[in-house]
Amino acid sequence: VAWSTRQLADLSGTTLRAVRHYHEVGLLEEPERHSNGYKQYGVQHLVRVLQIKRLVDLGVPLAQVASMGRADKEPDEALRLLDADLETSISRLRQVRAELAVILRHRAPIDVPAAFSTLADNISTQDRAMIMVYSRIFDETWMETLRQLMQNEARTDADDEFDALGPDADTETRQRIAEALAPEMRKHAEGYAALGETAAHSSRGAKLAEETITQVIRDLYNPAQLDVLHRAHLIVTGQTP
Amino acid sequence: VAWSTRQLADLSGTTLRAVRHYHEVGLLEEPERHSNGYKQYGVQHLVRVLQIKRLVDLGVPLAQVASMGRADKEPDEALRLLDADLETSISRLRQVRAELAVILRHRAPIDVPAAFSTLADNISTQDRAMIMVYSRIFDETWMETLRQLMQNEARTDADDEFDALGPDADTETRQRIAEALAPEMRKHAEGYAALGETAAHSSRGAKLAEETITQVIRDLYNPAQLDVLHRAHLIVTGQTP
DNA sequence: TTGCTCCTCACGTCACGTGAGGTGGC
DNA sequence: TTGCTCCTCACGTCACGTGAGGTGGC
């Protein structure tokens, strides 16, 4: 009347497959067999499975369970390490929950960085993409300056026109919007000077920062919008012919 | 000057393989290729990878990331579920840490149930095995009674002789130890009556409980010890011939 | 020619889950 | 004969990690 594999699994609170897996990886000795091939487990096997399960439940990987010997000795240094790991995991999960709380409270889209979530309602898809990309390239000071700009400077009619500009807009329209945008751009360049100092505020190399800005502008705006930006730039820098 | 796969990975804070994996599972569109076959990523891809990474870091499985659409909309109900999951995980980990604290404080072997850890120094390997097995079979009341017995009743010389008994001990020795053990056994049967009510206190069926006790006794004691138990039992029940 | 980066298979990881196909005693 | 339990392969899971072998521009 020894135990079958299923009984051993039930008694130890694991599964059939787990018990067999412990055999496969050499953590658990194979018991004697009945004449029909059925395994016959005894107390030693149950005790061993319970030891394994205890450690597994504590988060110890099976490879380490093996090296911890029979585990009926003094608690290992490994357990202290494990405790430290658990502490780290807990604080990581808490951090994640804190982020989630911000997202849920502001009903913010989940891809925009937390600091920008209060502005979420006014942010277009393009702005969001821009914020996400820049947040990987620039340091916190730069991002904070950008956030202040977006928070403090009201959008103008020219901004809306620029966003709505189709790729086939004619030259006069483009020139008109450029002239309307130029004063804004000049004002922003003065009030938020840090945004221009891309090299000093790039967190992973000035070259990548420059390339990324180019990339962002090229990907997010259509040819007409790119032309408007070019015209406005000429006006601001006094290069208007 | 589009981004290479490595640049995309670096910018998004993931790995080459992760990006390729997102292609494989259809989470990330393949970009255009350069003439030499190199992939050329744009802002749209970076934004997408950042979205994916954000959710993955929050603990969302990739299959669910796919079903959460572009994730730039209102936070999903899924996030609330996720938050609840995180809460559960955190309290589970805390529970584990609490167990670890008990083990570390008492320098107890890690396989014995927490309630018995204060007795750990006096527990033999056999006792430990017995405790572990019985704790899977009997309810808390029964185990608590057992614990009290082990805590309150000092071990006698006869107990030690019994533990040390070799399998080939002669008849006289066995009879002598049996007679020394009998009074103890009688006393325990009276003072800790619950231990005898195995059927009432078995948490997974009376039959399994009976079988398990038989199994434990047969596996943990050698023939001489089994004979001593039998002789002591006869004495206690007055069946001595 | 040598280094470096990119590419595409394709197997490995971890702790089992999940059939597939077959046997033995009631 | 039908059900039930046990057995042994052996592939699947999840999110990638890690070479293997080959190409293209400096």
Side-chain angles (χ1 to χ4, degrees):
Chain A
V1 272
W3 294 307
S4 71
T5 308
R6 169 157 301 285
Q7 284 177 314
L8 183 71
D10 287 349
L11 277 173
S12 59
T14 59
T15 65
L16 272 178
R17 192 59 179 89
V19 172
R20 291 179 181 146
H21 185 64
Y22 299 152
H23 286 313
E24 286 166 22
V25 297
L27 275 179
L28 180 65
E29 245 184 296
E30 290 239 354
E32 310 249 299
R33 306 265 181 159
H34 193 253
S35 59
N36 59 10
Y38 288 20
K39 297 197 190 75
Q40 300 195 111
Y41 294 97
V43 167
Q44 44 168 335
H45 303 98
L46 176 53
V47 166
R48 182 61 177 151
V49 172
L50 288 174
Q51 285 175 347
I52 296 170
K53 182 175 159 50
R54 187 85 196 268
L55 292 178
V56 165
D57 286 349
L58 289 174
V60 180
L62 291 187
Q64 201 175 333
V65 172
S67 71
M68 284 173 78
R70 310 306 292 183
D72 50 2
K73 302 188 307 255
E74 284 248 334
D76 216 38
E77 181 61 22
L79 290 189
R80 280 173 223 286
L81 284 176
L82 176 60
D83 190 56
D85 286 353
L86 287 175
E87 192 173 3
T88 308
S89 298
I90 289 175
S91 58
R92 246 203 50 239
L93 293 183
R94 281 222 195 103
Q95 183 67 31
V96 169
R97 282 199 81 198
E99 283 188 52
L100 267 179
V102 171
I103 293 169
L104 291 172
R105 189 165 45 229
H106 292 296
R107 307 182 163 287
I110 61 172
D111 49 9
V112 65
F116 287 81
S117 56
T118 51
L119 309 173
D121 293 341
N122 311 320
I123 296 183
S124 68
T125 302
Q126 288 186 349
D127 283 348
R128 185 160 41 231
M130 184 194 70
I131 291 169
M132 292 172 67
V133 174
Y134 284 170
S135 68
R136 302 295 306 173
I137 289 294
F138 294 112
D139 64 19
E140 301 219 345
T141 309
W142 198 94
M143 290 306 291
E144 174 57 18
T145 309
L146 176 63
R147 196 188 67 75
Q148 287 180 5
L149 186 155
M150 297 188 71
Q151 187 173 35
N152 298 336
E153 306 300 323
R155 290 181 59 82
T156 64
D157 290 346
D159 289 331
D160 292 337
E161 276 194 285
F162 177 79
D163 281 352
L165 196 67
D168 305 324
D170 59 37
T171 310
E172 285 141 71
T173 307
R174 292 168 356 210
Q175 179 63 21
R176 182 173 54 75
I177 296 178
E179 283 166 13
L181 283 178
E184 276 188 63
M185 287 175 64
R186 194 177 288 119
K187 189 171 132 203
H188 294 173
E190 287 162 9
Y192 306 88
L195 295 183
E197 300 156 4
T198 54
H201 291 288
S202 61
S203 53
R204 0 165 62 91
K207 195 173 139 223
L208 184 60
E210 278 300 337
E211 284 178 7
T212 302
I213 291 180
T214 312
Q215 182 82 13
V216 165
I217 290 176
R218 213 173 356 188
D219 282 5
L220 293 185
Y221 302 115
N222 63 41
Q225 289 172 320
L226 291 178
D227 182 53
V228 168
L229 290 178
H230 182 61
R231 287 168 187 269
H233 180 70
L234 292 181
I235 296 171
V236 170
T237 56
Q239 298 174 55
T240 158
Chain B
V1 273
W3 293 308
S4 71
T5 308
R6 171 157 300 283
Q7 285 178 313
L8 183 72
D10 288 348
L11 278 173
S12 59
T14 58
T15 65
L16 272 178
R17 192 61 179 89
V19 172
R20 290 178 182 147
H21 184 64
Y22 299 151
H23 286 314
E24 285 166 24
V25 297
L27 274 180
L28 180 65
E29 244 184 296
E30 290 238 355
E32 310 249 299
R33 305 267 180 156
H34 193 253
S35 58
N36 59 10
Y38 287 20
K39 298 199 191 75
Q40 301 196 109
Y41 294 96
V43 167
Q44 45 168 336
H45 303 98
L46 176 53
V47 166
R48 182 59 175 153
V49 172
L50 288 173
Q51 286 175 348
I52 295 169
K53 181 174 160 51
R54 187 85 197 266
L55 291 177
V56 166
D57 287 349
L58 289 173
V60 180
L62 290 186
Q64 201 175 332
V65 172
S67 71
M68 285 174 78
R70 309 307 291 184
D72 50 1
K73 301 188 306 257
E74 284 248 334
D76 217 38
E77 181 62 21
L79 289 190
R80 280 174 222 286
L81 284 176
L82 176 60
D83 191 56
D85 287 352
L86 287 175
E87 193 173 3
T88 309
S89 299
I90 288 175
S91 58
R92 246 203 50 240
L93 292 183
R94 280 221 197 104
Q95 183 68 31
V96 169
R97 283 199 80 198
E99 282 188 53
L100 267 180
V102 172
I103 294 169
L104 291 173
R105 188 165 44 228
H106 293 294
R107 305 182 165 286
I110 62 173
D111 50 7
V112 64
F116 287 80
S117 55
T118 50
L119 309 173
D121 294 340
N122 312 319
I123 297 183
S124 68
T125 303
Q126 288 187 349
D127 283 349
R128 184 160 43 232
M130 186 195 69
I131 292 170
M132 290 173 68
V133 174
Y134 284 169
S135 68
R136 303 295 307 173
I137 290 293
F138 294 112
D139 63 19
E140 302 217 345
T141 308
W142 198 94
M143 290 305 293
E144 175 57 18
T145 309
L146 176 63
R147 195 187 67 76
Q148 287 180 7
L149 186 156
M150 297 187 71
Q151 185 172 37
N152 299 336
E153 306 299 325
R155 290 181 58 84
T156 65
D157 290 343
D159 289 332
D160 291 337
E161 278 193 284
F162 177 79
D163 282 352
L165 196 67
D168 305 324
D170 60 34
T171 310
E172 286 141 71
T173 307
R174 291 171 354 214
Q175 179 63 21
R176 183 173 53 75
I177 296 177
E179 284 168 12
L181 283 178
E184 277 187 59
M185 289 176 63
R186 194 178 288 117
K187 189 172 132 205
H188 294 174
E190 288 165 7
Y192 306 88
L195 294 182
E197 300 157 4
T198 54
H201 291 287
S202 61
S203 53
R204 357 164 64 92
K207 195 173 140 222
L208 184 59
E210 280 299 337
E211 284 178 6
T212 301
I213 290 179
T214 313
Q215 182 82 13
V216 166
I217 291 174
R218 212 174 356 187
D219 282 5
L220 292 186
Y221 301 116
N222 63 42
Q225 289 173 320
L226 292 177
D227 182 53
V228 169
L229 289 178
H230 182 60
R231 287 169 187 270
H233 180 68
L234 292 181
I235 296 170
V236 170
T237 56
Q239 299 174 56
T240 159

PDB file of all heavy atoms in Angstrom, chain B residues 4-5 20 33 38, chain C residues 5-8 10:
ATOM      1  N   SER B   4      18.761  51.919 -37.749  1.00  0.00           N
ATOM      2  CA  SER B   4      18.982  50.489 -37.929  1.00  0.00           C
ATOM      3  C   SER B   4      18.290  49.741 -36.785  1.00  0.00           C
ATOM      4  O   SER B   4      17.814  50.352 -35.824  1.00  0.00           O
ATOM      5  CB  SER B   4      20.473  50.170 -37.899  1.00  0.00           C
ATOM      6  OG  SER B   4      20.957  50.319 -36.583  1.00  0.00           O
ATOM      7  N   THR B   5      18.249  48.425 -36.901  1.00  0.00           N
ATOM      8  CA  THR B   5      17.606  47.636 -35.851  1.00  0.00           C
ATOM      9  C   THR B   5      18.284  47.877 -34.509  1.00  0.00           C
ATOM     10  O   THR B   5      17.622  48.045 -33.486  1.00  0.00           O
ATOM     11  CB  THR B   5      17.662  46.137 -36.194  1.00  0.00           C
ATOM     12  OG1 THR B   5      17.162  45.930 -37.511  1.00  0.00           O
ATOM     13  CG2 THR B   5      16.816  45.342 -35.218  1.00  0.00           C
ATOM     14  N   ARG B  20      13.051  41.990 -33.075  1.00  0.00           N
ATOM     15  CA  ARG B  20      12.757  40.966 -34.095  1.00  0.00           C
ATOM     16  C   ARG B  20      11.609  40.075 -33.647  1.00  0.00           C
ATOM     17  O   ARG B  20      10.786  39.648 -34.456  1.00  0.00           O
ATOM     18  CB  ARG B  20      14.016  40.137 -34.382  1.00  0.00           C
ATOM     19  CG  ARG B  20      15.042  40.966 -35.128  1.00  0.00           C
ATOM     20  CD  ARG B  20      16.326  40.240 -35.408  1.00  0.00           C
ATOM     21  NE  ARG B  20      17.258  41.162 -36.082  1.00  0.00           N
ATOM     22  CZ  ARG B  20      18.569  41.140 -35.931  1.00  0.00           C
ATOM     23  NH1 ARG B  20      19.125  40.239 -35.152  1.00  0.00           N
ATOM     24  NH2 ARG B  20      19.336  42.013 -36.561  1.00  0.00           N
ATOM     25  N   ARG B  33      13.174  48.417 -46.565  1.00  0.00           N
ATOM     26  CA  ARG B  33      14.554  47.947 -46.526  1.00  0.00           C
ATOM     27  C   ARG B  33      15.420  48.847 -47.387  1.00  0.00           C
ATOM     28  O   ARG B  33      14.983  49.369 -48.417  1.00  0.00           O
ATOM     29  CB  ARG B  33      14.639  46.523 -47.101  1.00  0.00           C
ATOM     30  CG  ARG B  33      13.726  45.534 -46.445  1.00  0.00           C
ATOM     31  CD  ARG B  33      14.434  44.826 -45.356  1.00  0.00           C
ATOM     32  NE  ARG B  33      13.571  43.849 -44.701  1.00  0.00           N
ATOM     33  CZ  ARG B  33      14.045  42.812 -44.049  1.00  0.00           C
ATOM     34  NH1 ARG B  33      15.360  42.628 -43.962  1.00  0.00           N
ATOM     35  NH2 ARG B  33      13.238  41.966 -43.451  1.00  0.00           N
ATOM     36  N   TYR B  38      19.133  45.902 -45.293  1.00  0.00           N
ATOM     37  CA  TYR B  38      19.039  46.440 -43.931  1.00  0.00           C
ATOM     38  C   TYR B  38      17.667  47.074 -43.711  1.00  0.00           C
ATOM     39  O   TYR B  38      17.138  47.747 -44.579  1.00  0.00           O
ATOM     40  CB  TYR B  38      20.119  47.506 -43.696  1.00  0.00           C
ATOM     41  CG  TYR B  38      21.517  46.961 -43.549  1.00  0.00           C
ATOM     42  CD1 TYR B  38      21.843  45.693 -44.020  1.00  0.00           C
ATOM     43  CD2 TYR B  38      22.512  47.720 -42.942  1.00  0.00           C
ATOM     44  CE1 TYR B  38      23.137  45.195 -43.892  1.00  0.00           C
ATOM     45  CE2 TYR B  38      23.802  47.227 -42.808  1.00  0.00           C
ATOM     46  CZ  TYR B  38      24.110  45.964 -43.293  1.00  0.00           C
ATOM     47  OH  TYR B  38      25.384  45.472 -43.166  1.00  0.00           O
TER      48      TYR B  38
ATOM     49  P    DT C   5      30.082  47.070 -34.559  1.00  0.00           P
ATOM     50  OP1  DT C   5      29.802  48.242 -33.697  1.00  0.00           O
ATOM     51  OP2  DT C   5      30.275  45.726 -33.985  1.00  0.00           O
ATOM     52  O5'  DT C   5      28.934  46.968 -35.649  1.00  0.00           O
ATOM     53  C5'  DT C   5      28.725  48.030 -36.569  1.00  0.00           C
ATOM     54  C4'  DT C   5      27.672  47.613 -37.574  1.00  0.00           C
ATOM     55  O4'  DT C   5      28.214  46.588 -38.437  1.00  0.00           O
ATOM     56  C3'  DT C   5      26.413  46.989 -36.934  1.00  0.00           C
ATOM     57  O3'  DT C   5      25.268  47.670 -37.400  1.00  0.00           O
ATOM     58  C2'  DT C   5      26.436  45.546 -37.399  1.00  0.00           C
ATOM     59  C1'  DT C   5      27.227  45.645 -38.694  1.00  0.00           C
ATOM     60  N1   DT C   5      27.871  44.368 -39.109  1.00  0.00           N
ATOM     61  C2   DT C   5      27.746  43.970 -40.409  1.00  0.00           C
ATOM     62  O2   DT C   5      27.143  44.611 -41.238  1.00  0.00           O
ATOM     63  N3   DT C   5      28.361  42.779 -40.699  1.00  0.00           N
ATOM     64  C4   DT C   5      29.070  41.964 -39.838  1.00  0.00           C
ATOM     65  O4   DT C   5      29.569  40.927 -40.217  1.00  0.00           O
ATOM     66  C5   DT C   5      29.162  42.449 -38.482  1.00  0.00           C
ATOM     67  C7   DT C   5      29.907  41.640 -37.462  1.00  0.00           C
ATOM     68  C6   DT C   5      28.562  43.612 -38.190  1.00  0.00           C
ATOM     69  P    DC C   6      23.826  47.390 -36.736  1.00  0.00           P
ATOM     70  OP1  DC C   6      23.099  48.673 -36.772  1.00  0.00           O
ATOM     71  OP2  DC C   6      24.023  46.679 -35.458  1.00  0.00           O
ATOM     72  O5'  DC C   6      23.140  46.387 -37.764  1.00  0.00           O
ATOM     73  C5'  DC C   6      22.780  46.858 -39.044  1.00  0.00           C
ATOM     74  C4'  DC C   6      22.619  45.709 -40.001  1.00  0.00           C
ATOM     75  O4'  DC C   6      23.837  44.938 -40.030  1.00  0.00           O
ATOM     76  C3'  DC C   6      21.571  44.671 -39.610  1.00  0.00           C
ATOM     77  O3'  DC C   6      20.293  45.031 -40.118  1.00  0.00           O
ATOM     78  C2'  DC C   6      22.060  43.406 -40.282  1.00  0.00           C
ATOM     79  C1'  DC C   6      23.530  43.673 -40.561  1.00  0.00           C
ATOM     80  N1   DC C   6      24.410  42.651 -39.923  1.00  0.00           N
ATOM     81  C2   DC C   6      24.820  41.542 -40.677  1.00  0.00           C
ATOM     82  O2   DC C   6      24.445  41.450 -41.853  1.00  0.00           O
ATOM     83  N3   DC C   6      25.600  40.603 -40.088  1.00  0.00           N
ATOM     84  C4   DC C   6      25.972  40.757 -38.819  1.00  0.00           C
ATOM     85  N4   DC C   6      26.754  39.810 -38.294  1.00  0.00           N
ATOM     86  C5   DC C   6      25.571  41.878 -38.037  1.00  0.00           C
ATOM     87  C6   DC C   6      24.791  42.802 -38.622  1.00  0.00           C
ATOM     88  P    DC C   7      19.043  44.160 -39.684  1.00  0.00           P
ATOM     89  OP1  DC C   7      17.845  44.859 -40.196  1.00  0.00           O
ATOM     90  OP2  DC C   7      19.168  43.868 -38.252  1.00  0.00           O
ATOM     91  O5'  DC C   7      19.216  42.780 -40.475  1.00  0.00           O
ATOM     92  C5'  DC C   7      19.072  42.784 -41.880  1.00  0.00           C
ATOM     93  C4'  DC C   7      19.350  41.397 -42.433  1.00  0.00           C
ATOM     94  O4'  DC C   7      20.705  41.013 -42.109  1.00  0.00           O
ATOM     95  C3'  DC C   7      18.497  40.287 -41.820  1.00  0.00           C
ATOM     96  O3'  DC C   7      17.280  40.168 -42.513  1.00  0.00           O
ATOM     97  C2'  DC C   7      19.367  39.054 -42.033  1.00  0.00           C
ATOM     98  C1'  DC C   7      20.783  39.603 -42.067  1.00  0.00           C
ATOM     99  N1   DC C   7      21.605  39.223 -40.880  1.00  0.00           N
ATOM    100  C2   DC C   7      22.237  37.978 -40.864  1.00  0.00           C
ATOM    101  O2   DC C   7      22.087  37.221 -41.831  1.00  0.00           O
ATOM    102  N3   DC C   7      22.993  37.629 -39.786  1.00  0.00           N
ATOM    103  C4   DC C   7      23.118  38.491 -38.777  1.00  0.00           C
ATOM    104  N4   DC C   7      23.891  38.117 -37.741  1.00  0.00           N
ATOM    105  C5   DC C   7      22.481  39.766 -38.772  1.00  0.00           C
ATOM    106  C6   DC C   7      21.728  40.085 -39.826  1.00  0.00           C
ATOM    107  P    DT C   8      16.058  39.461 -41.782  1.00  0.00           P
ATOM    108  OP1  DT C   8      14.834  39.872 -42.495  1.00  0.00           O
ATOM    109  OP2  DT C   8      16.198  39.720 -40.355  1.00  0.00           O
ATOM    110  O5'  DT C   8      16.316  37.912 -42.023  1.00  0.00           O
ATOM    111  C5'  DT C   8      16.584  37.429 -43.329  1.00  0.00           C
ATOM    112  C4'  DT C   8      17.051  35.982 -43.245  1.00  0.00           C
ATOM    113  O4'  DT C   8      18.258  35.919 -42.456  1.00  0.00           O
ATOM    114  C3'  DT C   8      16.042  35.038 -42.575  1.00  0.00           C
ATOM    115  O3'  DT C   8      15.961  33.823 -43.329  1.00  0.00           O
ATOM    116  C2'  DT C   8      16.642  34.784 -41.194  1.00  0.00           C
ATOM    117  C1'  DT C   8      18.138  34.913 -41.467  1.00  0.00           C
ATOM    118  N1   DT C   8      18.919  35.350 -40.289  1.00  0.00           N
ATOM    119  C2   DT C   8      19.944  34.546 -39.839  1.00  0.00           C
ATOM    120  O2   DT C   8      20.237  33.490 -40.343  1.00  0.00           O
ATOM    121  N3   DT C   8      20.613  35.050 -38.756  1.00  0.00           N
ATOM    122  C4   DT C   8      20.371  36.242 -38.093  1.00  0.00           C
ATOM    123  O4   DT C   8      21.041  36.581 -37.122  1.00  0.00           O
ATOM    124  C5   DT C   8      19.277  37.019 -38.613  1.00  0.00           C
ATOM    125  C7   DT C   8      18.916  38.317 -37.962  1.00  0.00           C
ATOM    126  C6   DT C   8      18.618  36.550 -39.670  1.00  0.00           C
ATOM    127  P    DA C  10      15.767  26.502 -40.742  1.00  0.00           P
ATOM    128  OP1  DA C  10      16.490  25.544 -41.616  1.00  0.00           O
ATOM    129  OP2  DA C  10      14.303  26.554 -40.746  1.00  0.00           O
ATOM    130  O5'  DA C  10      16.248  26.286 -39.245  1.00  0.00           O
ATOM    131  C5'  DA C  10      17.639  26.288 -38.930  1.00  0.00           C
ATOM    132  C4'  DA C  10      17.801  26.220 -37.438  1.00  0.00           C
ATOM    133  O4'  DA C  10      17.922  27.541 -36.874  1.00  0.00           O
ATOM    134  C3'  DA C  10      16.618  25.568 -36.698  1.00  0.00           C
ATOM    135  O3'  DA C  10      17.142  24.767 -35.669  1.00  0.00           O
ATOM    136  C2'  DA C  10      15.882  26.757 -36.123  1.00  0.00           C
ATOM    137  C1'  DA C  10      17.105  27.587 -35.729  1.00  0.00           C
ATOM    138  N9   DA C  10      16.845  28.959 -35.336  1.00  0.00           N
ATOM    139  C8   DA C  10      15.836  29.782 -35.753  1.00  0.00           C
ATOM    140  N7   DA C  10      15.858  30.962 -35.203  1.00  0.00           N
ATOM    141  C5   DA C  10      16.961  30.935 -34.364  1.00  0.00           C
ATOM    142  C6   DA C  10      17.523  31.865 -33.489  1.00  0.00           C
ATOM    143  N6   DA C  10      17.043  33.089 -33.317  1.00  0.00           N
ATOM    144  N1   DA C  10      18.632  31.485 -32.794  1.00  0.00           N
ATOM    145  C2   DA C  10      19.121  30.254 -32.977  1.00  0.00           C
ATOM    146  N3   DA C  10      18.671  29.292 -33.773  1.00  0.00           N
ATOM    147  C4   DA C  10      17.584  29.693 -34.436  1.00  0.00           C
TER     148       DA C  10
END
